[in-house]
């Protein structure tokens, strides 16, 4: 079975030594993210997030299905994540590791369970037809902070996605093609962003956006999910070093700042992409709210 | 560069070698496939190098994955110990996720080692070793002493410091290979001019060593350095700040000219204070 090599004794003691002096290997501050690069695909709903050498691709797609019988007024939203050998040779296809389960549950909780997507708006005919929105997350390269990167990718892809418009006349449902009617954006209630903290030296040092090497050496980690209004969606801490309340508060404060920055970047990139699309496809005329002379 | 570089692509067949002396045997290096009796086919894109003196021919190109070959000095990591040898990993430069091939380092492959006096290495130790045996189908074997003198000559466990990766081409350059190939080019041109009966004209070949970054760093900082041909570099100095400074300078200097490398180091040193 392919395995990642653990950091050597030299690397281990050096990294911890450097952290003790508040130095990181890549020269970042303890509480700073790597440069976030966010790109969108040619069609709607494809977001490519690069956080340093970590790279995650999220793809959102929609399909008309029958809703669950116990929830006839709700659409369906699923997120699938799979760690494959493309991200790292240590990941095997088809076999779920503990890391993978934790990761998918974290993202699920951060986005789906926090009601980021309004599933009621996905209903077409109650009990008969609804939209199923599916977000597929692909991990292309693994250098730490997979949770943070995939959360950004999914929320960006959801905001970028447009579903075909539908019209209902009695029992008859018409799905209009993208060219026939302007596709509709999803109704997003809020934008949750995850920030993962890694703890070292018995909680004295806490890092934001740890690289793979740093992740391998950490004593514990904690993920805080917030939206830009500062509403807390989850605090996830699966084992590891115990931290005190003061530290938790400090982390939450850092997270709030980081979430604001990331949400702003995502928003800016979305606007840039929309502007580029208008130029490319000459969409100005098709806007409903265009200025009339 | 003003020199004509022979760039070849995979699948090309090389023209028959021009021999200065008849009936010499050429050694075929990496990137070329030999099909008997005398056809050479390029199997890796890069520059073609022919050394007429040593009778060697090889392709030079940059890559990230290391393939073990005999007599290379490499930096390996100890994985575990068995009854008579250490099992080591040879990590390549491939970041962020290190891919590794395994190698065997016998307990007795240290200078003056006996069964009782062998050095004890733990899991995760870093060793600077020479590949004593490299075969396509079996794990390579390592040695921690110089083949000629039997002494350590710098090989052995590397204690303290930090290990990081660079591309294989960069590692070779830091070991001084770039200068060798450049000298080779000059020699080729001289030979060419000699054949045509012209006088050799210096065309201002870039004779920089490609490792100005180390020369410049060495002038003002004190540190130890070991470069492995597998694209791993070990740096040790008393102070993490210095070590990190050396590491960053080396990593950033890959695509810089000699002058730019010196400039980079000067700025880094200023920032270090």
């Amino acid at each position: 079975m392919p395995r990642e090599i653990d950091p050597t004794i030299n690397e281990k003691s050096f990294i911890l030594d450097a952290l003790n002096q508040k130095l990181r290997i890549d020269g970042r501050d303890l509480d700073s993210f790597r440069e976030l690069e966010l790109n969108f695909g040619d069609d709607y709903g494809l977001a490519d997030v690069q956080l340093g050498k970590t790279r995650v691709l999220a793809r959102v797609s929609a399909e008309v299905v029958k809703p669950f019988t116990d929830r006839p007024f709700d659409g369906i939203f699923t997120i699938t994540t799979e760690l494959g050998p493309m991200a790292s040779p240590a990941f095997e296809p088809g076999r779920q590791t503990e890391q993978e389960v934790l990761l998918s549950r974290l993202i699920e909780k951060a986005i789906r369970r926090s009601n980021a997507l309004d599933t009621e708006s996905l209903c077409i005919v109650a009990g008969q037809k609804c939209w199923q929105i599916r977000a597929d997350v692909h991990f292309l390269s693994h250098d730490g902070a997979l949770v943070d990167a995939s959360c950004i990718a999914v929320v960006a892809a959801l905001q970028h996605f447009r579903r075909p418009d539908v019209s209902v006349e009695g029992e008859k449902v018409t799905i209009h093609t993208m060219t026939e009617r302007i596709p509709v954006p999803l109704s997003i209630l809020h934008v949750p962003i995850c920030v993962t903290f890694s703890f070292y030296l018995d909680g004295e040092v806490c890092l934001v956006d740890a690289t793979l090497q740093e992740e391998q050496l950490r004593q514990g980690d904690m993920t805080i999910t917030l939206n830009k209004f500062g509403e807390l969606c989850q605090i996830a801490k699966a084992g590891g070093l115990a931290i005190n309340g003061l530290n938790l508060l400090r982390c939450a404060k850092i997270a709030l700042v980081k979430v604001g920055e990331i949400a702003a970047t995502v928003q800016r990139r979305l606007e840039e992409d929309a502007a580029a699309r208008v130029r490319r496809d000459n969409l100005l005329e098709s806007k409903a709210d265009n200025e009339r002379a | 560069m003003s020199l004509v570089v022979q760039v070849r692509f995979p699948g090309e067949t090389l023209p028959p070698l021009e021999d200065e002396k008849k009936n010499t045997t050429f050694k075929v290096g990496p990137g070329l496939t030999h099909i008997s009796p005398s056809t050479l086919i390029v199997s890796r894109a890069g520059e073609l190098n022919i050394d007429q003196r040593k009778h060697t021919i090889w392709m030079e190109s940059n890559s990230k994955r290391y393939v073990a070959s005999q007599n290379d000095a490499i930096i390996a990591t100890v994985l575990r110990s068995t009854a008579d040898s250490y099992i080591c990993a040879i990590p390549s430069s491939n970041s962020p996720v290190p891919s590794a091939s395994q190698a065997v380092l016998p307990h007795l492959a240290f200078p003056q080692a006996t069964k009782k006096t062998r050095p004890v290495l733990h899991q995760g130790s870093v060793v600077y070793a020479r590949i004593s045996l490299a075969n396509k189908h079996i794990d390579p074997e390592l040695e921690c002493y110089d083949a000629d003198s039997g002494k350590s000559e710098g090989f052995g466990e590397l204690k303290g410091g930090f290990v990081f990766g660079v591309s294989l081409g960069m590692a070779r350059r830091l070991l001084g290979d770039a200068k060798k190939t450049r000298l080779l080019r000059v020699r080729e041109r001289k030979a060419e001019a000699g054949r045509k009966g012209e006088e050799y004209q210096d065309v201002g070949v870039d004779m920089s060593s490609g490792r100005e970054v180390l020369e410049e760093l060495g002038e003002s900082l004190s540190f130890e350095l070991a470069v492995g041909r597998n694209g791993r570099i070990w740096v040790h100095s008393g102070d993490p700040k210095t070590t990190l400074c050396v590491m960053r300078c080396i990593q950033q200097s890959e695509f810089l000219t000699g002058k730019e490398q010196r400039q980079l180091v000067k700025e880094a040193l200023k920032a270090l204070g």
Side-chain angles (χ1 to χ4, degrees), chain A residues 180-197:
Chain A
E180 197 181 344
R181 276 202 198 172
I182 307 158
V184 202
L186 299 173
S187 126
I188 310 277
L189 299 178
H190 68 119
V191 180
I193 305 271
C194 296
V195 180
T196 303
F197 296 88

Side-chain angles (χ1 to χ4, degrees), chain B residues 216-217 220-221 245 249 264-273:
Chain B
E216 194 75 25
L217 280 168
S220 23
L221 296 176
C245 172
C249 284
L264 171 82
V265 173
K266 272 183 195 133
E267 276 164 24
L269 288 177
K270 225 180 266 168
L272 188 67

Side-chain angles (χ1 to χ4, degrees), chain A residues 8-10 24-25 27 53 142-143, chain B residues 77 95-96 124 158 160-161 248:
Chain A
T8 59
I9 298 175
N10 308 41
R24 277 174 99 163
I25 301 303
K53 281 176 181 155
H142 177 20
D143 191 19
Chain B
T77 312
S95 54
L158 301 171
R248 268 176 220 139

